[in-house]
Amino acid sequence: MNLASLQGRIIVSCQALDNEPLYGADHMAAMARAAEAGGAAAIRANTPADIAAIRKAINLPVIGLYKRVYEQSPIYITPTITEVREIAEAGADMVAFDATNRQRPDGLSLSAFIAAIRLEFPGLLLLADVSTFEEGIQAFDLGCEAVSTTLSGYTPYSKQQSGPDVELVRSLAGLSGRPVFAEGRIWTPEECMACLNAGAYAVVVGTAITRPQEITRRFAHAAAGRA
């Protein structure tokens, strides 16, 4: 995977949880094909099954993650090396993981977790999902190839807002000099452009493209407000 192929472009997150209408690897593979046809530069996908199906269906890089809940930890985006193994085996080119300093299920520190990935999968690119500027800088210091603002607003101590965290993108891009992906609550092309203009290397868009029930809900809510 060549990160340069993503610069200035859109990554589409194709995900559906088991309580959603489009849940299932076949549905996500079809969604990924549609995203590829529309001009996406890469796909972000959850679960080994979805990653494997998407890998077979498209010719784009796949950023893999595995959301798994552990009762003893708030971290659920690729929490342990077990999930990393399954993602790698499914064919992901890059692995995305929670890069906050919160307690991991296995008790490893973030630095130890990253070291374990590097040891076992030296060719796997690392995308650190962060919620604050400090976490982003730490992830770069630990050698991650890129960071994403995915978790801004989803940790109790990060900035809470309805739209994308453009300022976090700007701060990280301005000081790191390394790839910063914008992700989270990006609903419009205008918000996408605001992130790119702030220095985002690439922009990840998910719900606004690949979750029809949420898109419909926004229209229905607007219509109801007019009545």
Side-chain angles (χ1 to χ4, degrees):
M1 176 180 175
N2 181 4
L3 275 178
S5 68
L6 308 183
Q7 189 168 11
R9 299 186 65 192
I10 303 302
I11 298 165
V12 174
S13 181
C14 296
Q15 299 184 41
L17 301 178
D18 57 10
N19 63 337
E20 297 182 40
L22 292 184
Y23 176 71
D26 289 344
H27 292 314
M28 289 300 100
M31 192 69 78
R33 286 197 298 271
E36 182 178 34
I43 301 296
R44 179 171 165 127
N46 174 40
T47 80
D50 286 8
I51 292 165
I54 289 170
R55 174 78 287 155
K56 293 177 182 177
I58 63 171
N59 294 311
L60 299 177
V62 177
I63 301 169
L65 61 131
Y66 194 175
K67 293 178 177 176
R68 180 174 281 173
V69 175
Y70 288 84
E71 290 185 2
Q72 69 272 35
S73 171
I75 290 179
Y76 72 101
I77 298 178
T78 320
T80 75
I81 193 69
T82 298
E83 287 78 39
V84 175
R85 290 189 187 108
E86 295 185 59
I87 291 167
E89 290 169 3
D93 302 286
M94 188 176 209
V95 59
F97 58 91
D98 183 315
T100 67
N101 285 316
R102 296 177 294 175
Q103 177 72 29
R104 308 194 77 84
D106 52 15
L108 288 182
S109 65
L110 178 62
S111 60
F113 177 62
I114 290 173
I117 299 174
R118 291 295 194 202
L119 181 63
E120 192 165 346
F121 302 102
L124 190 61
L125 300 182
L126 305 186
L127 175 60
D129 288 345
V130 303
S131 67
T132 66
F133 175 78
E134 292 76 15
E135 289 169 353
I137 295 302
Q138 175 182 238
F140 279 131
D141 288 344
L142 290 173
C144 295
E145 278 76 22
V147 304
S148 180
T149 59
T150 312
L151 292 172
S152 174
Y154 298 101
T155 59
Y157 52 83
S158 61
K159 187 176 182 180
Q160 308 294 306
Q161 59 186 48
S162 59
D165 195 342
V166 178
E167 288 310 309
L168 179 57
V169 172
R170 192 187 314 278
S171 297
L172 285 170
L175 289 183
S176 70
R178 298 172 69 181
V180 176
F181 296 176
E183 182 175 9
R185 302 177 302 279
I186 298 169
W187 277 97
T188 67
E190 291 75 19
E191 289 176 335
C192 173
M193 287 306 302
C195 291
L196 289 171
N197 290 337
Y201 195 83
V203 177
V204 182
V205 182
T207 299
I209 295 175
T210 60
R211 279 198 162 104
Q213 73 276 14
E214 296 300 330
I215 300 167
T216 303
R217 187 172 289 119
R218 287 175 70 90
F219 279 91
H221 180 74
R226 182 178 180 275

